Amino acid sequence: MDTRDILLALDIYCEHDWDKTYNTILNKDCDFYTNENIMLRIEAERYAILAEGYKIVVLTDSEYPKVISNSSAKPPFVIYYKGDLDTVADRYSYQLPNVNPKRMFID
């Protein structure tokens, strides 16, 4: 599993909650990787997100928008978006997009 897969799994496992994800990383509390049921749930949710037409970019990806990573003390670990990522970054830089408070889903 590479860093991208780990961040995506952590984001789903922590219910897209930034603080939970951060604390899981900080405490190195990654026992969920050994639980097959949890990993199946994570994989199912990832496929459901993709099936809804969302694309995924994680904080460590080179294409992750700098305007988003630099605009917050807590940039989202994962952004789920539709459309063009540059347009998403532009909209984000002018105003906080309409998102679920626990998730960084941008339509």
Side-chain angles (χ1 to χ4, degrees):
M1 224 179 226
D2 63 10
T3 304
R4 185 178 203 286
D5 292 333
I6 291 168
L7 281 175
L8 181 56
L10 279 169
D11 187 63
I12 293 170
Y13 174 71
C14 295
E15 301 170 329
H16 314 284
D17 183 295
W18 193 95
D19 290 316
K20 279 178 151 178
T21 303
Y22 179 77
N23 287 327
T24 301
I25 293 168
L26 192 63
N27 297 323
K28 299 177 183 171
D29 184 20
C30 296
D31 292 342
F32 70 91
Y33 281 112
T34 60
N35 185 317
E36 187 175 332
N37 290 333
I38 292 173
M39 291 307 293
L40 288 172
R41 182 184 64 80
I42 289 169
E43 199 60 21
E45 185 169 340
R46 185 176 74 83
Y47 281 117
I49 290 166
L50 293 173
E52 289 179 35
Y54 286 96
K55 299 172 193 167
I56 298 170
V57 63
V58 302
L59 189 58
T60 58
D61 288 344
S62 61
E63 63 270 14
Y64 190 97
K66 297 283 186 244
V67 69
I68 295 176
S69 64
N70 295 335
S71 67
S72 171
K74 295 181 175 183
F77 291 105
V78 181
I79 299 173
Y80 307 89
Y81 67 97
K82 292 182 179 179
D84 183 71
L85 190 56
D86 292 331
T87 304
V88 168
D90 287 343
R91 285 189 303 153
Y92 186 91
S93 67
Y94 294 112
Q95 66 183 33
L96 187 62
N98 184 18
V99 296
N100 178 317
K102 283 191 172 182
R103 298 178 180 208
M104 189 61 183
F105 279 70
I106 304 174
D107 292 318

